[in-house]
């Protein structure tokens, strides 16, 4: 996944656990298996923390050293960081070009959003996926004519096609669970106020 995904995840964990230490952020992301599905390495968490502090999205207090141990930084999200967190969430939710599995970081922070925002975003995403699937066969014929020497590369697109079919099925089931009240969302949440 992208640097933006790492940025979203780090901001989100700080927002959930603040004030918090870098190792706690890393441990939380590892407990979500984000190192696997988002490709977040330990170094990228600390690099992102430095970047977020430098750009004013996070602030920190340096806790004094104990013995030979290095000093620890205690991180908090700033008002600008909170706004950026919601901007990054919405960028994924409102994307006109969804990619397979790009909803994973959003799912980590569902309670940060309102129920209606999630419902609207899922309907938007289903419409985009349906549009992609409807145009797929014609696109494949254009990209891979039968006499193409690279016909085997079409399997990359077939994998994406099948991923979207599975995601569309999941989105429809997820909406059923959301509408049934299975999850708690923030009605009138900060998400709406930070728009």
């Amino acid at each position: 996944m992208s640097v933006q995904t790492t940025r979203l995840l780090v901001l989100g964990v700080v927002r959930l656990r603040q004030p918090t230490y870098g190792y706690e952020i890393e441990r939380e992301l590892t407990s979500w298996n984000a190192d696997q599905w988002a490709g977040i390495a330990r170094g990228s968490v600390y690099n992102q923390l430095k970047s977020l502090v430098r750009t004013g999205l996070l602030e920190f207090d340096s806790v004094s050293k104990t013995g030979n141990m290095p000093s620890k930084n205690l991180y908090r999200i700033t008002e600008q960081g909170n706004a950026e967190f919601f901007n990054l969430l919405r960028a994924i939710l409102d994307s006109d070009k969804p990619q397979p599995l790009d909803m994973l970081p959003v799912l980590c922070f569902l309670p940060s959003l309102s129920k209606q925002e999630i419902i609207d975003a899922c309907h938007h995403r289903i419409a985009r996926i349906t549009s992609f699937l409807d145009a797929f066969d014609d696109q494949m014929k254009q990209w891979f004519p039968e006499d193409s020497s690279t016909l085997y590369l079409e399997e990359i697109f077939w994998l994406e096609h099948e991923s979207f079919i599975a995601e569309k099925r999941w989105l429809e089931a997820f909406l059923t669970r959301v509408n049934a009240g299975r999850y708690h969302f923030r009605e009138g949440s900060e998400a709406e106020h930070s728009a």
Side-chain angles (χ1 to χ4, degrees), residues 76-89:
R76 280 184 237 57
I77 196 164
T78 64
E79 193 173 316
Q80 302 97 305
N82 202 46
E84 177 70 358
F85 168 77
F86 285 108
N87 288 339
L88 291 168
L89 271 180

Side-chain angles (χ1 to χ4, degrees), residues 34-181:
D35 53 332
Q36 300 296 313
W37 54 261
I40 294 180
R42 180 177 187 188
S44 61
V45 169
Y46 290 97
N47 286 337
Q48 193 60 239
L49 285 168
K50 288 177 189 172
S51 173
L52 292 167
V53 168
R54 194 171 41 251
T55 56
L57 301 177
L58 292 180
E59 57 189 15
F60 71 92
D61 294 325
S62 190
V63 177
S64 61
K65 293 169 61 161
T66 308
N68 291 335
M69 300 295 291
S71 61
K72 298 178 185 177
N73 295 325
L74 195 58
Y75 295 93
R76 280 184 237 57
I77 196 164
T78 64
E79 193 173 316
Q80 302 97 305
N82 202 46
E84 177 70 358
F85 168 77
F86 285 108
N87 288 339
L88 291 168
L89 271 180
R90 288 190 180 106
I92 295 170
L93 288 172
D94 299 335
S95 175
D96 285 333
K97 295 184 179 180
Q99 296 299 309
L101 304 180
D102 63 359
M103 283 288 288
L104 289 175
V106 173
L107 294 175
C108 296
F109 305 111
L110 277 182
S112 301
L113 300 166
S114 72
K115 180 177 180 179
Q116 193 58 53
E117 188 168 15
I118 289 294
I119 290 170
D120 293 346
C122 287
H123 285 297
H124 175 80
R125 192 168 176 92
I126 288 169
R128 293 293 175 248
I129 290 171
T130 300
S131 177
F132 167 82
L133 294 172
D134 289 347
F136 185 79
D137 288 335
D138 289 336
Q139 291 291 328
M140 289 297 281
K141 288 174 188 167
Q142 289 176 10
W143 295 334
F144 298 100
E146 286 297 318
D147 60 347
S148 172
S149 63
T150 58
L151 197 56
Y152 62 92
L153 292 175
E154 73 179 356
E155 293 304 328
I156 294 168
F157 297 94
W158 280 108
L159 177 59
E160 182 178 42
H161 178 270
E162 295 303 310
S163 297
F164 276 132
I165 288 173
E167 182 175 338
K168 184 177 175 185
R169 193 170 41 245
W170 169 79
L171 280 165
E172 291 163 349
F174 173 65
L175 278 171
T176 300
R177 291 187 293 274
V178 167
N179 285 320

